[in-house]
Amino acid sequence: MQRYLVRRILQFFLIVFIANSLTFIVPRLVPGDPITEFLNNQQLLNPNPEFETWVADYKAKFGTDRPLWEQYLNFWAGAVRGDFGYSIISFPQTVMHRIGVALPWTIGLVSVGTLLAFLFGTSMGALLGWPDSPQMFQWFVPVLMVIGGIPFWLFSFVVIWIFAVELGILPPAGGINMLDVLIQGDTLQARVVSIAQHAALPIFVFVLFGVGGWGLTMRANLIMTLGEDYILFAHAKGLPESRIFLRYGVRNALLPVLTALAMAIGGIIGGSTLLETAFSYPGVGSVVGAAIQQRDYFVISGAAFFMILSSALALLLVDLMYPLIDPRVRYQ
Amino acid sequence: MTKKRAKPSKLNTELILGAAILGAIILFSLITPIFIDKDDSLLGKFPPNVKPNSVNLLGTDLQGRDIFTTLVYAAPQTLQVGVVTGLISLSFGTLMGVLAGFFPGRIDDIVRFISDGLVAIPAIAFLMVFVARMQNPSIYVIALSIACLTWPGSARAIRSQVLTLRERQYISIARSNGQKELEVLFREVMPNVFPLLLAQFIGAVNGGIGTAMALEVLGLVPTRRFLSLGLMIFWVQRMGGVLRGMWYWWGPPILLIALIFAGLLFLSSGMNVFVNPRLAGYGAAAKRRTAARIKEFLAARRAAAKGMEPPDEDAILEVRNLNVVYETVEGPVKAVNDVSFSIKPGERMGLIGESGSGKTTAATAMMRLSRPPAFITHGQVLLEGRDLMSIPDEELRRLRLKEIAMVPQASMNALNPVMRIGDQIKDALIVHEGRMSRAAMEKRIAEAFGMVDLPADVGKQYPHQLSGGMKQRATMAIAVALRPKVILADEPTSALDVVVQKRVMMTLMRLQRDLGAAVMLIGHDIGLMTQFVDNLGVLYAGRLVEWAPVEDILNDALHPYSRMLIESLPTLTRKKALIGIPGMPPQLLNLPPGCPFAPRCPFVMDRCREEMPEVQSPQPGRQVACHLYPSHTALPPLPIRDLIPEVLAEGLVPQVLPDAVAGD
Ligand SMILES: Nc1ncnc2c1ncn2[C@@H]1O[C@H](COP(=O)(O)OP(=O)(O)OP(=O)(O)O)[C@@H](O)[C@H]1O
Ligand code: SF4
Ligand SMILES: [Mg+2]
């Protein structure tokens, strides 16, 4: 058990190390350099007579005047301290600051959305996989398939248009309306209400269009499980249908889906970029979206670090948790 | 084993639907440009933000470009990105997959290492950073980067398909005919991998379009030189098109994207059914048909049960004309046909037959546990006079385990792997006997384990913690926990070594004596069987060809097949050549008329090939289905000598068993 833990944690560090090294080195093999590019653009708008020294100055601040290996070492030295350098666009601001402010928004939005989609989706999948479910349910399968196959963030536009633009019942963008909150005396309740109102539409998109994948996975697992010999024997034991379905079918079919859930939660930071951008939600996704449009390279790579970290953490979590939920898998 | 190659099933609706959607989009984007002037419409010379009208079918965007024209030019570009990505990813994946599958070892390890590693690295994170670094990346560079991250997935799917194909017989034949590995690869393996390749390609196109679109919408792709659906969305987002209520701007591209994805999706799911026709059984229509059939057969059995003959007072279990059929894609497989017999209380009956003769199918049907594609078409199974085939579900459920229990054939897999063994007895006890005190429950569980010589603490363990023999005993403990009156034991000792086999059998027989239960013991080892049972039924091609007390069968079997089985049995007094029965059991699909044993029978007559022999009773307490009766009263001696040359011709070399084994 202890050796397993140690080995698994070492593996986690190895994944984080390799993945980040790759994302650090490979892009730098491409010719070009984001700082020069940025300053070139500035130069066009607002000519600086001492352009050369300006560039040198900037490069020194960002450390890109050093040889690659030194930059690489500095990257790791900074990363372990949570320092990913500065934003190019909003210069004195650090990358960590920009991401740190946005992170709680993303985690809140996406974890609630993912969990709700998971709950609805797996229940629906379980119902669809149940041999005795009403026939009419079967027509949900192609619907779920189509919904699950289309990138869900595309529906953001439709939802914003209907609920925010045409009906005007929910805010179309942002995470909280501070003006409203202040008018109401900045109470906790006012804040919660405003946050919930802003999160309602993105979460709606998550749930309505995220259930497809969960539902289909669960259904497929359940169909497989219901074909197992132990289900036949459970029937031979004279157990009632409902108990077989829940305790022998759904329970066993759920195990692999839980792994997928952990992975999905690990993908939180990366997975919501497009959704957050569509809703201008103040999370990491929007920060990344803005950084990409402004070609703020260090913010992008800092965000990538967090994406890698969170998905590696999820993998670690799955491996540590799985033996607890599935007795067949042991720590070894 | 299959000599003929997998026959592709008929085109299915999904495939057609998918192809139709994508075809329509492609056709649309090929034909429309003929009628519109691209330069005119895309230069932004129209007034901005015009609602749809007769000049601008879908209005104009904020830069005064005609939205309809933009759409016409953007859609094929989006498809093109997907196809390019798909092609790159697939060709590399195929190359590596085929190499890894055909030359396992180093390449295989490398492919696996890379694909395992890529799972851990979020692709979008890497792409973001990579593409952001490039100045004006071309869309093909982006396609290439995406493909670099997706090929290992295809490689692994193709690898496993190649591995399976390699094992196939016709490939071994090709190889033994002296064809070179590479020749085999191109002539025999590749044509069979093709359908999978197509499915993988569609998947790769889908992934390519999705990922490229995400990068476009985020603004990672140069926005000036290129036109695509993703970029249309990018501009909508950038210019606040949604909040301005310009549904005609963002609506059409989203609809088109959704259609493309839906088309690809139908295509790939249709493709999967095409590759693997078994999946067809899971669709809505198939499910409805199945449910209707089950209902129909149940109704028919209920109707038949109304006018049935009164039950035999002496028997505890009576099987009458049991028929089970597997509805397969190729047609109905009649696995159990008009099987009838009866068992008295406390009696031990054996049911033997070659593999595939329908023993498990019959036993499963006797508890009405058959699951599609198996259907019980008609017949009665009377347990103390109640017809298990027609009573209401709830009544049947209460009888299962309490009155009639089963030790399934795959008893190794009969236990829920994630539930403690004790809990698996407990839930049965609670369901049938209601809640009881903790102590009483513990006592009952310990008692059940005691009956099969397992220590009580096995209850705390999970199935994977037990040995095969222990699992089989645990299953048996569950089956006997409620002291049922009838136990159906389906090869309870298969997959165990000889010593354990004997012990498990002894346990079962002791239990049977202690409980006074009637047992139906299923097996194909007639030697083992005859030591334990009172009556023996012989199943051949789903028919009970003979049923009689075991001594009678041993001394003078009436059916040629049973006689040949007995003759092949070494005994203490007869140490002699053990010969197999020449020929193979028949295919149950499209069985020719007449006696199914006719092709192998030394007594075959013309009549046998045309007319199915009826079950008859030449002697009281015996049944046989053979045209030799009633004109004969006993079976003539086997023309064994005439048989031997034929046996040799079949390549079945007679074996002589050593005394020790023969006497065991
Ligand atoms: N799912 C299925 N679909 C189609 N045919 C089936 C299916 N399962 C079994 N069969 C057919 O039914 C016949 C009887 O199978 P069954 O499992 O009852 O044989 P068995 O006598 O128990 O054999 P064994 O000794 O190998 O256990 C076989 O010939 C097989 O081809
Ligand atoms: S019916 Fe004919 S073929 Fe069949 S077993 Fe009897 S003699 Fe042989
Ligand atoms: Mg069997």
Side-chain angles (χ1 to χ4, degrees):
Chain A
M1 165 74 200
Q2 223 166 38
R3 276 190 40 206
Y4 173 82
L5 211 70
V6 171
R7 228 195 37 219
R8 197 54 200 74
I9 290 173
L10 282 180
Q11 198 182 330
F12 161 76
F13 282 118
L14 189 73
I15 290 175
V16 172
F17 174 74
I18 294 180
N20 278 307
S21 300
L22 282 177
T23 29
F24 182 88
I25 295 167
V26 177
R28 281 175 172 74
L29 300 179
V30 182
D33 143 40
I35 291 178
T36 323
E37 193 195 333
F38 167 70
L39 293 180
N40 273 335
N41 288 341
Q42 293 297 95
Q43 187 71 4
L44 292 180
L45 300 173
N46 193 349
N48 187 330
E50 290 163 57
F51 185 70
E52 295 300 313
T53 47
W54 197 34
V55 171
D57 200 33
Y58 249 85
K59 280 195 168 174
K61 275 191 200 134
F62 283 87
T64 53
D65 53 343
R66 306 299 167 91
L68 192 59
W69 63 268
E70 211 180 313
Q71 288 184 42
Y72 178 64
L73 290 184
N74 284 338
F75 162 73
W76 278 112
V80 290
R81 282 181 284 116
D83 173 8
F84 298 96
Y86 300 99
S87 154
I88 303 180
I89 306 295
S90 27
F91 170 59
Q93 262 188 22
T94 62
V95 170
M96 197 54 200
H97 171 77
R98 302 213 50 181
I99 293 176
V101 172
L103 206 53
W105 289 101
T106 294
I107 291 177
L109 180 77
V110 185
S111 55
V112 172
T114 308
L115 282 176
L116 285 180
F118 171 81
L119 283 179
F120 280 115
T122 43
S123 326
M124 202 181 237
L127 268 179
L128 292 178
W130 188 21
D132 290 354
S133 65
Q135 285 304 316
M136 158 196 106
F137 277 9
Q138 288 311 309
W139 298 108
F140 284 0
V141 174
V143 176
L144 282 189
M145 231 172 74
V146 172
I147 283 178
I150 299 169
F152 72 103
W153 50 266
L154 273 176
F155 298 102
S156 320
F157 301 90
V158 188
V159 168
I160 295 174
W161 180 57
I162 296 177
F163 292 95
V165 179
E166 290 295 315
L167 299 177
I169 48 178
L170 284 167
I176 185 169
N177 188 337
M178 273 323 276
L179 193 66
D180 259 11
V181 172
L182 288 176
I183 289 171
Q184 291 176 37
D186 197 10
T187 58
L188 182 66
Q189 197 205 351
R191 277 175 183 249
V192 171
V193 168
S194 181
I195 290 177
Q197 277 174 349
H198 284 82
L201 285 185
I203 286 181
F204 178 70
V205 173
F206 240 110
V207 176
L208 197 60
F209 300 104
V211 292
W214 295 115
L216 292 179
T217 315
M218 182 62 189
R219 173 176 171 269
N221 280 345
L222 191 60
I223 287 175
M224 285 258 294
T225 307
L226 291 181
E228 295 280 350
D229 289 323
Y230 56 79
I231 299 285
L232 186 75
F233 190 53
H235 278 112
K237 288 202 297 189
L239 299 184
E241 204 66 46
S242 57
R243 182 170 171 88
I244 297 175
F245 177 62
L246 290 175
R247 194 63 216 277
Y248 288 70
V250 172
R251 162 125 195 336
N252 292 29
L254 207 54
L255 295 179
V257 190
L258 283 178
T259 315
L261 176 66
M263 301 286 287
I265 289 181
I268 275 183
I269 300 180
S272 67
T273 310
L274 292 160
L275 185 77
E276 285 184 21
T277 313
F279 282 97
S280 313
Y281 201 76
V284 180
S286 293
V287 171
V288 172
I292 285 175
Q293 271 155 52
Q294 300 160 337
R295 301 189 75 74
D296 197 345
Y297 185 75
F298 297 100
V299 174
I300 302 175
S301 65
F305 184 90
F306 281 94
M307 292 180 194
I308 292 169
L309 193 69
S310 74
S311 74
L313 260 176
L315 277 177
L316 176 67
L317 201 75
V318 168
D319 281 2
L320 295 186
M321 180 189 74
Y322 213 74
L324 296 180
I325 57 173
D326 187 342
R328 279 169 299 182
V329 182
R330 266 172 296 170
Y331 299 105
Q332 50 186 230
Chain B
M1 284 299 289
T2 38
K3 265 184 233 109
K4 58 175 182 213
R5 311 214 170 146
K7 183 181 64 184
S9 55
K10 277 188 297 180
L11 288 177
N12 51 57
T13 17
E14 283 170 322
L15 211 55
I16 295 171
L17 194 62
I21 294 177
L22 291 176
I25 293 174
I26 293 172
L27 212 64
F28 165 77
S29 51
L30 283 183
I31 292 178
T32 355
I34 301 174
F35 302 105
I36 41 183
D37 184 354
K38 178 185 178 184
D39 297 331
D40 242 27
S41 308
L42 291 185
L43 278 177
K45 60 165 198 145
F46 295 106
N49 194 4
V50 174
K51 282 203 163 48
N53 58 48
S54 56
V55 181
N56 306 110
L57 285 179
L58 290 172
T60 62
D61 65 12
L62 286 174
Q63 289 148 326
R65 288 185 297 199
D66 181 55
I67 294 175
F68 183 75
T69 316
T70 323
L71 207 60
V72 169
Y73 284 94
Q77 299 274 41
T78 293
L79 282 174
Q80 192 190 341
V81 173
V83 171
V84 171
T85 315
L87 279 178
I88 301 175
S89 162
L90 190 75
S91 13
F92 204 54
T94 309
L95 183 70
M96 296 308 275
V98 169
L99 285 178
F102 228 72
F103 308 102
R106 185 67 51 87
I107 301 179
D108 197 11
D109 290 343
I110 293 175
V111 171
R112 194 163 18 188
F113 179 77
I114 297 179
S115 59
D116 283 352
L118 281 180
V119 172
I121 303 178
I124 189 80
F126 182 79
L127 279 174
M128 240 167 50
V129 180
F130 187 52
V131 179
R133 187 91 190 184
M134 289 189 255
Q135 284 153 356
N136 285 335
S138 110
I139 195 69
Y140 297 104
V141 173
I142 290 175
L144 184 69
S145 340
I146 297 173
C148 279
L149 295 171
T150 53
W151 68 265
S154 316
R156 287 192 71 171
I158 290 162
R159 167 188 165 272
S160 60
Q161 175 87 350
V162 171
L163 277 182
T164 355
L165 285 171
R166 266 184 63 132
E167 306 302 317
R168 294 260 174 95
Q169 216 175 13
Y170 56 90
I171 292 183
S172 334
I173 292 170
R175 199 174 293 137
S176 66
N177 285 348
Q179 293 187 25
K180 298 229 170 55
E181 282 280 319
L182 271 181
E183 210 178 315
V184 173
L185 178 69
F186 284 105
R187 286 259 176 83
E188 309 287 340
V189 176
M190 289 313 277
N192 290 286
V193 181
F194 191 70
L196 177 76
L197 285 189
L198 225 51
Q200 286 288 323
F201 174 67
I202 296 165
V205 171
N206 192 323
I209 294 183
T211 316
M213 191 172 334
L215 297 180
E216 285 161 15
V217 173
L218 284 175
L220 274 166
V221 176
T223 46
R224 261 177 288 273
R225 287 189 313 189
F226 192 70
L227 202 58
S228 77
L229 297 176
L231 280 176
M232 287 182 77
I233 307 277
F234 169 80
W235 284 116
V236 169
Q237 225 165 49
R238 191 105 198 247
M239 320 282 272
V242 182
L243 294 185
R244 288 169 198 260
M246 295 171 69
W247 53 268
Y248 41 86
W249 190 9
W250 54 264
I254 286 186
L255 191 70
L256 214 51
I257 295 170
L259 272 177
I260 290 176
F261 276 106
L264 286 170
L265 208 83
F266 283 128
L267 214 54
S268 82
S269 98
M271 206 69 200
N272 280 336
V273 177
F274 192 73
V275 174
N276 183 3
R278 240 169 47 86
L279 286 176
Y282 291 111
K287 221 182 128 175
R288 208 177 47 238
R289 270 199 307 277
T290 305
R293 302 222 71 176
I294 294 176
K295 242 196 203 139
E296 193 182 302
F297 286 131
L298 183 61
R301 294 198 307 265
R302 288 204 168 130
K306 290 227 174 70
M308 71 179 183
E309 286 173 34
D312 177 356
E313 295 291 327
D314 291 343
I316 185 151
L317 190 78
E318 234 186 302
V319 177
R320 296 177 178 175
N321 296 327
L322 190 62
N323 280 270
V324 186
V325 56
Y326 287 94
E327 302 282 357
T328 68
V329 217
E330 285 93 15
V333 173
K334 293 183 177 170
V336 174
N337 300 289
D338 285 326
V339 167
S340 308
F341 59 87
S342 66
I343 306 180
K344 294 192 177 59
E347 184 188 304
R348 300 188 287 203
M349 178 189 148
L351 186 64
I352 64 161
E354 284 160 293
S355 182
S357 55
K359 307 179 294 293
T360 302
T361 310
T364 315
M366 282 163 67
M367 287 180 74
R368 215 214 271 174
L369 286 168
S370 307
R371 305 188 274 194
F375 296 92
I376 305 170
T377 54
H378 53 276
Q380 284 145 18
V381 175
L382 306 182
L383 176 69
E384 295 188 306
R386 283 161 303 195
D387 177 22
L388 300 184
M389 298 301 108
S390 57
I391 55 176
D393 290 347
E394 185 57 20
E395 192 182 340
L396 175 69
R397 185 180 71 67
R398 287 177 200 285
L399 293 177
R400 285 180 185 156
L401 197 68
K402 193 154 176 62
E403 308 265 307
I404 179 167
M406 155 178 209
V407 182
Q409 172 160 27
S411 61
M412 303 270 186
N413 305 325
L415 300 168
N416 185 340
V418 297
M419 206 168 155
R420 292 178 204 276
I421 313 264
D423 291 340
Q424 302 192 42
I425 299 192
K426 203 162 128 189
D427 64 0
L429 285 171
I430 292 175
V431 157
H432 289 285
E433 310 205 326
R435 304 228 158 251
M436 51 182 101
S437 74
R438 208 192 159 90
M441 179 63 76
E442 302 266 295
K443 199 168 143 260
R444 289 293 300 273
I445 294 176
E447 200 181 286
F449 286 134
M451 285 200 271
V452 296
D453 299 330
L454 279 178
D457 59 0
V458 163
K460 299 220 168 40
Q461 297 193 293
Y462 288 100
H464 71 271
Q465 294 168 307
L466 307 184
S467 73
M470 287 167 93
K471 266 189 269 193
Q472 235 141 3
R473 277 161 194 272
T475 310
M476 219 180 271
I478 298 176
V480 299
L482 293 169
R483 303 179 167 263
K485 294 178 182 144
V486 179
I487 302 172
L488 312 178
D490 191 354
E491 307 198 28
T493 60
S494 60
L496 295 181
D497 69 61
V498 184
V499 180
V500 187
Q501 218 173 47
K502 203 111 190 179
R503 277 228 316 269
V504 172
M505 280 300 269
M506 290 304 197
T507 312
L508 182 65
M509 288 306 130
R510 198 202 62 229
L511 262 174
Q512 183 270 336
R513 255 198 327 273
D514 294 351
L515 298 176
V519 167
M520 185 175 92
L521 187 63
I522 293 175
H524 48 232
D525 182 347
I526 189 169
L528 191 70
M529 188 77 85
T530 49
Q531 301 170 36
F532 292 102
V533 299
D534 310 319
N535 276 331
L536 195 60
V538 180
L539 209 55
Y540 187 80
R543 291 185 179 270
L544 196 64
V545 293
E546 180 156 12
W547 182 76
V550 71
E551 303 80 43
D552 291 348
I553 292 210
L554 280 177
N555 297 332
D556 70 321
L558 293 178
H559 197 278
Y561 176 65
S562 355
R563 172 67 66 83
M564 288 167 87
L565 278 180
I566 304 294
E567 292 283 329
S568 68
L569 194 68
T571 66
L572 263 184
T573 48
R574 286 184 304 200
K575 183 190 92 176
K576 68 168 185 192
L578 204 164
I579 47 167
I581 302 172
M584 295 277 284
Q587 289 284 323
L588 296 179
L589 189 74
N590 304 326
L591 204 60
C595 173
F597 191 55
R600 303 166 80 184
C601 180
F603 302 105
V604 61
M605 303 167 278
D606 288 343
R607 185 179 167 206
C608 303
R609 296 205 177 84
E610 286 142 25
E611 201 179 316
M612 182 67 76
E614 297 274 316
V615 174
Q616 34 191 324
S617 265
Q619 297 168 27
R622 301 188 63 167
Q623 279 180 21
V624 64
C626 172
H627 286 313
L628 290 172
Y629 310 93
S631 46
H632 291 66
T633 46
L635 188 67
L638 280 182
I640 197 108
R641 267 169 230 303
D642 302 342
L643 260 177
I644 286 176
E646 207 184 319
V647 171
L648 289 173
E650 291 270 332
L652 283 167
V653 183
Q655 294 172 258
V656 178
L657 282 192
D659 276 0
V661 177
D664 193 41

